[in-house]
Amino acid sequence: MKRSGFATVPAEPHYWLADARAQACLVEGNGLGQPDREGLVRLDLEIRDGRIARLAPLGSAPAGAVDLRGGQVWPGFVDIHTHLDKGHIWPRSPNPDGSFMGAIDTVVRDRVARWHAEDVRARMEFGLHCAWAQGTVAIRTHLDSHPPQADITWPVLKQVREAWAGRIDLQGSANMPMDFYATPHGTHVADLVAEAGGILGTVTRLNGEGHEALPPQFLELLEHIFRLAMDRGLNMDLHVDESGDRGARALIEVARTAERLGFKGRLQCGHCCSLALQPDDFIAATLKAVADAGITVVSLPMCNMYLQGRTQGRTPRWRGVTVLHEMKAAGVPVSIASDNCRDPFYAYGDHDMLEVMTQATRIAQLDHPIGDWPRAFTSVPASVMGLGERGRLKAGAPADLVLLSARFMSEMLSRSQADRIVLRAGKAIDTSLPDYRQLDQLVGAAP
Ligand SMILES: [Zn+2]
């Protein structure tokens, strides 16, 4: 029996959740009536043997059901862009000035000096525990795969993925600047990724540089990386144009290259910040190319807001986020995720997708109407990750749910929802968050 302030869920194989609200865009099935102006429908849910047995109209539940008193039910969250290998190094390696280049330099120094297997494993586990306790069911993490880190981190990924199987579906994506792929190490990384069932990724910049005007060898390097992926049948996930520099125009080149080479895998591009600062005709041409190439985009608003437009002594003038509304309108599947957590790329965060949703809603104005934006944190990333049952409320799917006392989006997006109930296979889990002190020996206990 798990008690929370607003409901008590029995530890039994069969029960009902009565008087719930859910986002209609996440409900598969019909007969639940018209959504309200925030997109919410009212329903009862029958839970049986760890799965959702039935989504039923309000009033269907028998006596003795768990009364949610109008509170919301969400499918478990899907966080499709994280960096669990960098997470929580902030106490020992803070970003000196909060800048993008400060983040790169600090992470490189920390990685070279300290990322032995146990260090990476402990911090990854900590991040996974935070995410699990807050209702996330699947995570993709980028993994710095520079030499010699790839041979340390990828075995850890496999161990941790195995240890967390059944709790969090974990995917790994290689991450390193493009020029590393032109060396024998690049081929080695592609082989490691293929062997580990991972995803091939890069950042669209050179080692030690930022995302500014594309370097002369850009297209040649890009094609080489595509061919490494295609030769091995790998999906790709790139960090693209994470910059406010209008010279950063990699996204359209990625789309054109995918089309020209006939890339058949799944291709995701993250960030794409600088696109928001381009002229309208270039934005339109880029979005058409991205849609035609079947590229999906993931935006990381918390990290973008933190890093973009940062100059000491100058107030930031823009929010750092790409053209999310225009992308969705152009038919590009858009996900929103958390990115870095307590490391030099983002000083804050807690692997909490409800925080991501709250912040993203405010930063990118994903409201009035909310429309189907809730899919960007749930069903869209689930589909991109190849996890079709995730991120949806449907009969037969696992009862991996997040229950909130919040009835309306205004209530949900105004409070932290720290009293949420997280169900896994229909049973309430311990939602206590791990104590930061667990990492003191690795990352230090001083500011
Ligand atoms: Zn990232």
Side-chain angles (χ1 to χ4, degrees):
M1 192 81 83
K2 175 71 180 174
R3 293 175 198 284
S4 180
F6 65 94
T8 302
V9 176
E12 292 163 11
H14 181 229
Y15 61 91
W16 281 78
L17 299 171
D19 192 7
R21 282 186 172 84
Q23 276 292 334
C25 63
L26 304 181
V27 174
E28 292 191 3
N30 42 34
L32 297 182
Q34 284 301 308
D36 65 21
R37 68 165 188 259
E38 293 182 327
L40 295 161
V41 288
R42 303 189 71 167
L43 73 164
D44 296 342
L45 297 93
E46 184 181 13
I47 308 297
R48 189 187 284 278
D49 298 330
R51 295 193 171 260
I52 300 170
R54 207 177 137 203
L55 301 168
L58 186 70
S60 303
V66 178
D67 186 0
L68 297 181
R69 296 181 297 134
Q72 293 183 42
V73 53
W74 284 74
F77 303 116
V78 178
D79 198 350
I80 196 171
H81 184 128
T82 69
H83 293 263
L84 297 179
D85 59 343
K86 295 186 174 80
H88 303 282
I89 64 173
W90 184 268
R92 73 184 186 203
S93 290
N95 187 327
D97 57 5
S99 70
F100 189 80
M101 293 312 294
I104 291 178
D105 293 344
T106 307
V107 164
V108 168
R109 275 201 300 278
D110 191 86
R111 181 191 338 113
V112 169
R114 300 183 190 252
W115 288 21
H116 52 79
E118 178 54 24
D119 178 70
V120 175
R121 190 201 60 75
R123 291 183 293 97
M124 285 182 72
E125 293 257 6
F126 189 90
L128 287 164
H129 193 162
C130 297
W132 150 262
Q134 296 179 109
T136 292
V137 297
I139 292 180
R140 177 178 291 178
T141 180
H142 295 274
L143 300 168
D144 275 15
S145 297
H146 312 55
Q149 193 63 45
D151 289 293
I152 299 168
T153 295
W154 279 91
V156 173
L157 183 274
K158 289 195 281 186
Q159 289 167 13
V160 171
R161 185 174 62 190
E162 179 72 26
W164 280 79
R167 289 181 288 170
I168 291 181
D169 288 323
L170 185 59
Q171 294 184 350
S173 179
N175 186 49
M176 61 179 177
M178 301 176 80
D179 36 340
F180 280 113
Y181 280 105
T183 69
H185 178 73
T187 308
H188 175 58
V189 166
D191 289 338
L192 272 180
V193 167
E195 190 269 328
I199 295 142
L200 199 68
T202 187
V203 289
T204 54
R205 59 177 179 79
L206 301 181
N207 187 32
E209 314 224 337
H211 290 264
E212 287 109 29
L214 304 181
Q217 65 273 50
F218 177 81
L219 286 178
E220 191 185 335
L221 287 170
L222 186 64
E223 176 167 340
H224 178 65
I225 296 167
F226 265 91
R227 293 206 182 280
L228 287 172
M230 292 168 73
D231 288 348
R232 294 163 181 78
L234 299 174
N235 295 324
M236 297 176 74
D237 195 329
L238 316 182
H239 283 68
V240 179
D241 300 333
E242 189 178 353
S243 164
D245 189 314
R246 287 183 185 82
R249 291 184 163 197
L251 180 58
I252 194 166
E253 301 301 343
V254 170
R256 287 170 176 158
T257 301
E259 285 270 42
R260 181 166 55 82
L261 299 180
F263 181 70
K264 295 283 187 289
R266 290 197 177 102
L267 171 53
Q268 175 151 277
C269 291
H271 295 290
C272 312
C273 308
S274 59
L275 184 61
L277 301 174
Q278 303 287 0
D280 286 348
D281 58 346
F282 185 76
I283 293 175
T286 302
L287 294 187
K288 180 170 188 324
V290 167
D292 288 350
I295 292 174
T296 61
V297 168
V298 58
S299 179
L300 302 309
M302 300 194 315
C303 206
N304 293 159
M305 187 102 141
Y306 177 79
L307 288 173
Q308 299 302 310
R310 185 185 283 268
T311 304
Q312 288 291 320
R314 185 180 188 275
T315 306
R317 303 292 205 271
W318 79 302
R319 303 183 186 205
V321 178
T322 192
V323 289
L324 288 174
H325 294 272
E326 294 85 344
M327 281 176 169
K328 190 146 75 69
V332 177
V334 174
S335 300
I336 298 175
S338 59
D339 211 4
N340 299 70
C341 192
R342 295 183 72 234
D343 71 33
F345 285 89
Y346 187 54
Y348 314 110
D350 201 17
H351 310 274
D352 178 9
M353 286 298 285
L354 269 179
E355 185 197 9
V356 174
M357 203 183 312
T358 300
Q359 297 284 347
T361 300
R362 297 172 185 178
I363 294 168
Q365 300 182 348
L366 309 178
D367 49 12
H368 325 316
I370 283 166
D372 65 351
W373 280 111
R375 298 184 61 230
F377 310 84
T378 51
S379 56
V380 174
S383 295
V384 175
M385 287 179 72
L387 305 170
E389 274 204 319
R390 294 298 188 187
R392 295 156 171 86
L393 296 172
K394 64 175 182 179
D400 295 339
L401 307 171
V402 181
L403 311 181
L404 308 179
S405 74
R407 298 164 297 169
F408 315 116
M409 295 306 282
S410 165
E411 292 180 353
M412 183 186 119
L413 297 172
S414 299
R415 281 195 182 158
S416 72
Q417 310 304 321
D419 62 344
R420 77 193 70 175
I421 296 171
V422 176
L423 302 182
R424 297 305 303 268
K427 300 242 170 28
I429 66 165
D430 182 355
T431 55
S432 317
L433 292 167
D435 191 327
Y436 290 126
R437 291 167 187 79
Q438 290 175 20
L439 294 177
D440 282 357
Q441 278 205 317
L442 288 173
V443 303

